Amino acid sequence: MDFYSAYHHGFVRVAACTVPVSIGDPADNAATILQQARACHDQSVAVAVFPELSVSGYAIDDLLMQDVLLDEVLSALDTIVDASKDLLPMLVVGAPLRHGNRLYNSAVVVHRGRVLGVAPKSYLPNYREFYEKRHFAPGDDQRGQTIRLRGEDVPFGPDLLFPASDVPGLVVHAEVCEDIWVPIPPSSEAALAGATVLLNLSASPITVGRAEDRHLMCRSASYRDNSAYAYCAAGQGESTTDLSWDGQTMVYECGGLLGETERFPDGARATVVDVDLDRIGQERVRQGTFDDNRRTHDGRVREFRSVPFELAAPSKDIGLLRKIDRFPFVPDDPERLALDCYEAYNIQVSGLERRMQAIGEPKLIIGVSGGLDSTHALIVAARAMDRLGRPRSDILAYTMPGFATSKGTKNNATRLSEQLGVTFAELDIRPAATQMLKDMGHPFGEGEPVYDVTFENVQAGLRYDYLFRLANHHGGIVVGTGDMSELALGWCTYGVGDQMSHYTVNSGIPKTLIQHVIRWVISEKLFEDEVGTVLQTIVEQEISPELVPSDDDSKPQSTEEKIGPYALQDFNLFHVHRQGARPSKIAFLAYHAWKDAAAGDWPSGYPEDQRIAYELKTIREWLVVFVQRFFANQFKRSALPNGPKVVGGGSMSPRGDWRMPSDASARAWLAELDREVPKQ
């Protein structure tokens, strides 16, 4: 398949459709359904679901039991089935069908000129405005049955799964309206049996507040069942004798809303989205209790029947119909971002509080550079001291200028420390670093401008050597400042360096989120206005380790020029760590997230001049760097000090989310990337 094909990367296109209905006129309804089905075909949709009793109309009362209507329903189904021969999507439509001595409210599953199966509604509402038992029989006892349609026996029952033989991970199950409202829905059993795309054909008359109830049900079902859940309600044309209809459609995936349509529409509407089957599979594999629950219900689950079909999905570029966050650790929605920042900051603060309480109220020793991470660690420490009722002077902050420390960052560190009221001192490491380099026989010790990794790490190591001894001297603990992004990339000095501390507050939070937490701290005025002014300056400056000197004409050392933009590398980290995605899929997602700076949303407060785009070539280059560094630097993560997990995307702790051998090879990942991702 083409690299640019969504189907190539584990996505499947699903449509939840609502269409105007002609009550009691199946022929007209068939024409309307097929018009929408052809539109779905043109959009490369794999599965399209239509409302409950969409072939006949839902609110037609005793007309449901008229022979004329039931005969016309069969004729209309013939029309739909015959027309489906030339259509890509599996079509799932609602119809009243006779079976044995009863009538069943049914979901009819059609594909490429065949009726694959029929799923009867299991649970019939017969309360408030509903009187379905007047007309229909419950279908919960029809497991393992068949129904005669179009001259052949077709699988019939709520126990039907429809796996696509040529789309790995696509297994469809259909249930009808009330089925999701019961404590244990058929769809939950189907999910345990392997269904990944759950469909709900609803009529669902609208009353005040019911739309929110539907969202709650669908969201919780998709989250609990680790699945996609596509829902559609009846709309325009249904009888308003006693009820009204809003035609709501939506699709959720693992608890997240992929899309929805306007309510009370004039005409047909469809929520068309791309469902990530790989993500669903990953969630189920990771959450072992999901399959443990299957074992509990093994008797019911094993009774499900599979009716396979071949989709023949397109291999071309069809775009990607889902929102891909540029910053998966940073929400675009301002309210959600504010809540995440509140939680992240307080997780860090409370973690440090508890550690201090547990070991006897020590002083806190922090190296402050005026950069992003040490600044954040310092304001976490200051808040922890405030909450414990201790003076901020019990924080001992040291700025330790090296050979490339700039006046700006040093000034920021000084101003911030003084305005926070911590105990502050300057400790110049250059004499000790020069002596160490000289003792080692390094050329710089003899005055030669050799700025290699030894030159850099002598400075980084000395800083932490001093901090640990200062902690001994003052009865304190060293607070680690390095963040999760640096740990993923190995951008830290191992041992006596910024990889190590007595307690690390930033190791569970990525670089792209830290800057937003600091902005939130400013906006919430958690500290004095003067502190906020310095914090804003620090957030806006370029990220640099400041270990290699530069003259007046050269650009200062840049972290992101060496290891890649943190925006891209945090994107890669999330999809490797949290989603277990292949490198080629990560590149595909990054391409859609970053190819157009003007498209999509940016997090609130993100600087306008940094809202840029990345082409696939650049994405590919930095992804290679990420994979290489991620594998090569596991040994640093295997020896991490204690620190709190902050984000749901995971942590790097070997005692938590990430455990990996330090001598693992990246060969297979790099080979997949090289094989699948275009170089140009």
Side-chain angles (χ1 to χ4, degrees):
M1 274 194 177
D2 188 337
F3 167 81
Y4 296 97
S5 167
Y7 281 100
H8 181 54
H9 295 285
F11 293 100
V12 63
R13 189 156 293 176
V14 174
C17 309
T18 189
V19 292
V21 67
S22 298
I23 54 176
D25 190 347
D28 191 58
N29 292 331
T32 304
I33 289 169
L34 285 171
Q35 183 178 17
Q36 186 64 37
R38 293 185 183 101
C40 290
H41 171 86
D42 293 339
Q43 292 177 274
S44 300
V45 168
V47 180
V49 58
F50 293 82
E52 179 180 13
L53 298 177
S54 48
V55 174
S56 61
Y58 176 86
I60 61 175
D61 296 321
D62 289 351
L63 293 180
L64 285 164
M65 306 185 80
Q66 291 286 307
D67 285 340
V68 170
L69 179 100
L70 296 174
D71 290 345
E72 285 295 307
V73 164
L74 294 178
S75 178
L77 284 175
D78 284 340
T79 300
I80 292 170
V81 173
D82 290 341
S84 73
K85 292 177 182 177
D86 300 321
L87 300 178
L88 171 65
M90 167 192 283
L91 306 177
V92 185
V93 300
L97 294 179
R98 285 174 285 206
H99 178 59
N101 299 316
R102 299 298 300 273
L103 193 64
Y104 290 87
N105 183 341
S106 304
V108 184
V109 181
V110 176
H111 188 246
R112 299 287 193 185
R114 292 175 52 214
V115 177
L116 299 181
V118 176
K121 188 172 184 176
S122 290
Y123 302 102
L124 304 178
N126 222 54
Y127 55 88
R128 301 192 185 99
E129 67 266 37
F130 301 107
Y131 297 94
E132 289 193 24
K133 288 186 178 179
R134 177 181 176 92
H135 309 109
F136 298 113
D140 59 324
D141 64 345
Q142 295 298 307
R143 297 165 70 93
Q145 301 300 305
T146 60
I147 187 173
R148 192 75 176 171
L149 280 179
R150 292 170 58 86
E152 61 180 354
D153 291 330
V154 173
F156 181 75
D159 57 337
L160 300 179
L161 303 178
F162 302 94
S165 59
D166 56 343
V167 181
L170 175 57
V171 183
V172 180
H173 177 268
E175 64 185 4
V176 183
C177 200
E178 184 77 7
D179 290 347
I180 194 179
W181 295 80
V182 301
I184 304 176
S187 56
S188 290
E189 293 181 339
L192 294 175
T196 54
V197 176
L198 311 176
L199 311 178
N200 189 293
L201 301 77
S202 278
S204 190
I206 186 61
T207 54
V208 172
R210 186 169 288 174
E212 287 79 8
D213 293 342
R214 296 176 190 145
H215 272 291
L216 176 63
M217 300 298 290
C218 295
R219 181 184 182 190
S220 63
S222 72
Y223 188 80
R224 188 179 59 252
D225 294 334
N226 286 328
S227 68
Y229 200 94
Y231 176 95
C232 55
Q236 193 175 31
E238 284 287 359
S239 173
T240 57
T241 300
D242 291 299
L243 301 168
S244 192
W245 316 83
D246 68 340
Q248 185 176 28
T249 74
M250 67 187 94
V251 182
Y252 276 89
E253 176 189 290
C254 298
L257 181 64
L258 295 184
E260 61 181 326
T261 53
E262 65 179 291
R263 296 166 58 210
F264 304 101
D266 181 13
R269 295 291 187 276
T271 296
V272 183
V273 295
D274 289 332
V275 167
D276 191 344
L277 297 173
D278 289 343
R279 179 192 179 194
I280 292 169
Q282 275 280 334
E283 292 296 327
R284 292 181 177 185
V285 167
R286 290 169 187 268
Q287 186 188 339
T289 51
F290 180 88
D291 195 60
D292 291 344
N293 192 227
R294 189 258 326 149
R295 291 168 51 238
T296 300
H297 299 276
D298 186 60
R300 294 275 291 182
V301 169
R302 279 192 291 112
E303 293 176 356
F304 273 81
R305 296 171 286 164
S306 289
V307 184
F309 70 103
E310 182 180 352
L311 181 65
S315 60
K316 62 182 181 181
D317 181 1
I318 59 170
L320 187 64
L321 300 182
R322 70 185 277 132
K323 181 177 181 290
I324 304 297
D325 291 322
R326 292 182 176 90
F327 298 93
F329 293 110
V330 183
D332 298 331
D333 176 71
E335 291 185 6
R336 180 72 244 184
L337 176 57
L339 178 59
D340 282 13
C341 290
Y342 161 79
E343 291 183 336
Y345 186 62
N346 282 285
I347 287 168
Q348 295 174 274
V349 170
S350 62
L352 183 57
E353 281 184 71
R354 173 58 188 149
R355 180 50 54 101
M356 286 193 285
Q357 291 171 328
I359 60 177
E361 307 292 341
K363 292 184 178 180
L364 300 180
I365 315 298
I366 302 181
V368 291
S369 66
L372 199 65
D373 291 344
S374 65
T375 292
H376 188 56
L378 185 58
I379 61 175
V380 167
R383 186 68 170 171
M385 286 296 188
D386 292 348
R387 284 168 52 117
L388 290 172
R390 293 178 56 187
R392 293 181 189 170
S393 57
D394 280 353
I395 301 172
L396 280 56
Y398 294 88
T399 188
M400 294 176 280
F403 299 114
T405 301
S406 67
K407 293 179 181 178
T409 55
K410 181 181 174 183
N411 182 54
N412 287 338
T414 303
R415 289 174 57 205
L416 182 63
S417 299
E418 291 175 345
Q419 289 166 2
L420 283 171
V422 305
T423 300
F424 176 73
E426 179 179 329
L427 200 165
D428 190 343
I429 66 166
R430 287 173 290 186
T434 301
Q435 185 62 50
M436 181 178 284
L437 289 164
K438 185 175 183 179
D439 292 344
M440 294 169 58
H442 189 277
F444 185 84
E446 302 300 328
E448 295 183 37
V450 176
Y451 308 134
D452 56 9
V453 67
T454 304
F455 174 82
E456 294 189 32
N457 281 347
V458 160
Q459 297 172 77
L462 270 173
R463 286 180 173 132
Y464 272 78
D465 200 356
Y466 275 119
L467 290 174
F468 276 103
R469 303 298 74 81
L470 286 163
N472 296 152
H473 184 55
H474 294 290
I477 61 171
V478 177
V479 177
T481 62
D483 64 50
M484 182 173 160
S485 307
E486 292 177 342
L487 288 166
L489 293 159
W491 192 247
C492 51
T493 302
Y494 182 71
V496 183
D498 54 340
Q499 177 264 350
M500 186 49 61
S501 63
H502 289 115
Y503 192 76
T504 169
V505 295
N506 287 344
S507 60
I509 184 170
K511 185 84 74 178
T512 48
L513 181 56
I514 284 178
Q515 56 187 292
H516 290 281
V517 176
I518 295 177
R519 290 191 183 103
W520 175 83
V521 167
I522 298 169
S523 67
E524 292 294 306
K525 298 186 180 298
L526 298 185
F527 299 100
E528 297 77 5
D529 290 344
E530 294 80 4
V531 173
T533 300
V534 182
L535 292 177
Q536 187 63 45
T537 300
I538 292 170
V539 167
E540 292 173 354
Q541 69 191 11
E542 183 173 2
I543 300 170
S544 171
E546 293 194 333
L547 293 172
V548 175
S550 59
D551 55 38
D552 294 337
D553 297 328
S554 61
K555 184 180 178 182
Q557 187 181 16
S558 169
T559 296
E560 292 184 300
E561 287 183 0
K562 180 72 173 179
I563 61 173
Y566 277 112
L568 285 182
Q569 300 299 34
D570 275 2
F571 187 95
N572 296 334
L573 172 60
F574 178 86
H575 289 283
V576 164
H577 185 4
R578 182 65 182 85
Q579 307 289 2
R582 301 173 185 85
S584 60
K585 181 166 186 172
I586 297 172
F588 176 79
L589 292 171
Y591 169 73
H592 280 279
W594 286 97
K595 65 180 179 179
D596 183 358
D601 298 322
W602 291 83
S604 176
Y606 197 80
E608 291 286 344
D609 62 346
Q610 295 179 30
R611 300 186 179 193
I612 61 176
Y614 293 107
E615 59 183 11
L616 182 60
K617 179 181 178 182
T618 302
I619 291 167
R620 188 186 195 282
E621 289 172 353
W622 289 122
L623 182 53
V624 170
V625 170
F626 178 88
V627 173
Q628 291 171 332
R629 295 191 67 96
F630 187 77
F631 274 81
N633 288 282
Q634 174 61 29
F635 72 98
K636 297 179 181 179
R637 301 188 289 270
S638 294
L640 272 184
N642 294 173
K645 176 179 176 178
V646 177
V647 294
S651 74
M652 295 278 94
S653 171
R655 298 167 298 278
D657 291 47
W658 188 253
R659 305 174 195 195
M660 167 184 170
S662 298
D663 50 3
S665 169
R667 185 201 60 78
W669 281 258
L670 292 170
E672 197 274 348
L673 194 161
D674 185 65
R675 182 177 66 250
E676 298 292 338
V677 183
K679 294 182 175 63
Q680 297 294 335

